[in-house]
Amino acid sequence: MSTPTLEDGSESGLLERFIAQAVVDEYAQVAPTEPGAPGRRRHLLAVPAMVVIGLLIIVAVISARAADEQRQSTRDALVERVSTLTASVAERQATVDGQTSTVDGLRADVLGGVTPEQEAELSRLAQLAAVTELSGPGVTVTIDDAPGAEAGSLNRVLDRDLQDIVNTLWRTGAVGIAVNEERLTGTTAIRGAGEAILVNYRPIGRPYVISAVGTSTSGQTDSGLDALLATLADDYGLVSTTSTGDVALPAGVVRDPRFAQTDQEGAGS
Amino acid sequence: MIAIIGLLVGVAIGILWHPVVPLWMQPYLPIAIVAALDAVFGGFRALMEKRFDDRIFVVSFLSNVVIAAFLVFLGDQLGVGAQMSTGVVVVLAMRIFANAAAIRRILFRA
């Protein structure tokens, strides 16, 4: 095979030369057999080679398929485990809820002598600490990414946006707030982790529903919240709707303080 | 014809025997197959041109597979295994297309 001349040194010339060199004919030294000459002897060794090639191909196909099956079964096992553990979490949560109400009942028995004022104070504090469910008139804000927003763009709802909305609601007098059914407590953090937003260290998904009980704006539009949502819509195209009405919030999970101790424990140690 | 029967025999052996490929061999298997296909197309073209020779076929098949696997192995050792695989596949695929074009010209005169 002749090598094409390369005068201009252009890229296509280089490529042509490369191809010409790469496809050198292996059988160039063999003269064509005469039509009459016996050519069968030349085919004998090729058969075992073809057997090997067929074997090679089928082995590759089989092993690739086996790897696929392996991956699929691993995935299935993981999915299975996730659903089992999720069910177990739900079960234990139910147990916790039942025992919480038992404890509440026992406490009511023990504190039989408390005055109604003290009881009212207790329930008010429990409400503020977000350890009980809370329902009442309030506001529900639903906010979602801009239509067609790409991953990593500013047209998506960020942790910062949720923080702003929540802080605005606190400022206008909310006594309890939940984001996607995650009740906010004194130790709740709303923060981003990669693509996800974590509330109470749990990832929450779109659309984000922020429910607040007891804002002073119940039944009427609030300029602060509306202004914030309008800004988010204008600047980033975030889609949001606001509605007022009765809102029910779940009880929050209050974690034990890490360093603080009650007086008795402090005295004992 | 007899070569195609050989290929089918190999496929049948593979299906019946069901061999397990060792893990260290798995990256080289696809490369080896492309190299083998190159030899097959070259051999078929030579057959069409009435100058097939089984000795050259076997030698080109073995050397193709060994060199391709060695290049990929070397690339793996140097940390450029993926790029080396790509290069080997590109060159072999180019040869396959060139041989297929020659076969096509002979078979269909087009």
Side-chain angles (χ1 to χ4, degrees):
Chain A
M1 197 165 281
S2 66
T3 305
T5 48
L6 185 72
E7 293 98 349
D8 54 350
S10 67
E11 222 171 323
S12 69
L14 189 67
L15 194 60
E16 274 164 25
R17 193 174 64 168
F18 174 55
I19 291 173
Q21 282 174 350
V23 297
V24 170
D25 188 1
E26 284 152 334
Y27 297 85
Q29 60 187 41
V30 181
T33 47
E34 300 305 317
R40 288 211 57 80
R41 194 201 60 78
R42 283 184 169 181
H43 293 193
L44 222 63
L45 265 177
V47 175
M50 289 304 281
V51 172
V52 171
I53 291 169
L55 190 63
L56 210 58
I57 291 173
I58 204 69
V59 164
V61 169
I62 288 175
S63 71
R65 195 169 294 174
D68 253 14
E69 275 168 17
Q70 174 88 32
R71 221 169 293 139
Q72 186 62 36
S73 67
T74 308
R75 215 187 86 90
D76 286 350
L78 283 175
V79 168
E80 175 88 359
R81 264 185 70 188
V82 165
S83 56
T84 314
L85 290 177
T86 308
S88 135
V89 164
E91 198 179 299
R92 285 172 195 197
Q93 187 60 52
T95 315
V96 166
D97 288 349
Q99 289 182 343
T100 305
S101 64
T102 313
V103 167
D104 285 348
L106 291 173
R107 185 172 57 198
D109 289 350
V110 170
L111 304 178
V114 297
T115 61
E117 290 83 38
Q118 284 171 321
E119 212 163 298
E121 176 72 358
L122 179 63
S123 73
R124 192 184 70 84
L125 290 175
Q127 230 174 54
L128 287 180
V131 295
T132 57
E133 293 172 5
L134 180 63
S135 57
V139 182
T140 302
V141 180
T142 307
I143 189 161
D144 201 352
D145 299 348
E150 285 168 21
S153 75
L154 283 176
N155 294 343
R156 309 187 67 199
V157 178
L158 303 180
D159 50 347
R160 179 66 204 275
D161 305 330
L162 292 185
Q163 287 167 8
D164 282 348
I165 293 169
V166 165
N167 285 338
T168 306
L169 289 169
W170 284 132
R171 205 159 48 235
T172 54
V175 294
I177 300 180
V179 179
N180 281 24
E181 298 292 302
E182 285 290 338
R183 181 77 175 270
L184 305 189
T185 69
T187 56
T188 297
I190 300 176
R191 56 187 192 85
E195 293 285 298
I197 296 177
L198 304 183
V199 176
N200 284 337
Y201 299 108
R202 296 218 186 118
I204 58 172
R206 310 169 34 218
Y208 306 99
V209 180
I210 302 145
S211 319
V213 166
T215 55
S216 58
T217 61
S218 301
Q220 59 188 27
T221 50
D222 166 59
S223 57
L225 183 61
D226 284 348
L228 175 61
L229 294 178
T231 309
L232 291 176
D234 288 346
D235 291 354
Y236 307 114
L238 305 184
V239 186
S240 61
T241 55
T242 314
S243 66
T244 56
D246 276 349
V247 177
L249 305 179
V253 178
V254 179
R255 290 177 173 78
D256 287 335
R258 216 175 282 172
F259 299 113
Q261 296 174 315
T262 59
D263 277 351
Q264 280 100 343
E265 284 170 355
S269 64
Chain B
M1 189 60 212
I2 195 164
I4 292 171
I5 293 174
L7 194 70
L8 292 179
V9 167
V11 170
I13 291 175
I15 289 173
L16 294 177
W17 181 26
H18 220 289
V20 176
V21 184
L23 203 61
W24 60 265
M25 224 182 187
Q26 269 172 5
Y28 307 113
L29 210 51
I31 299 294
I33 285 172
V34 178
L37 278 183
D38 173 45
V40 169
F41 273 84
F44 192 58
R45 177 191 180 179
L47 198 65
M48 292 285 113
E49 292 171 352
K50 300 247 186 297
R51 50 202 187 85
F52 181 77
D53 187 290
D54 59 352
R55 203 173 49 82
I56 292 181
F57 176 69
V58 171
V59 169
S60 80
F61 162 57
L62 290 180
S63 69
N64 266 0
V65 169
V66 168
I67 292 172
F70 173 72
L71 278 179
V72 175
F73 168 77
L74 196 67
D76 270 343
Q77 300 308 307
L78 297 175
V80 289
Q83 291 92 323
M84 202 64 116
S85 300
T86 308
V88 168
V89 168
V90 165
V91 171
L92 290 176
M94 219 148 71
R95 290 173 51 102
I96 289 174
F97 272 109
N99 282 327
I103 294 167
R104 195 190 59 214
R105 273 195 288 275
I106 295 167
L107 278 183
F108 305 115
R109 316 215 177 286

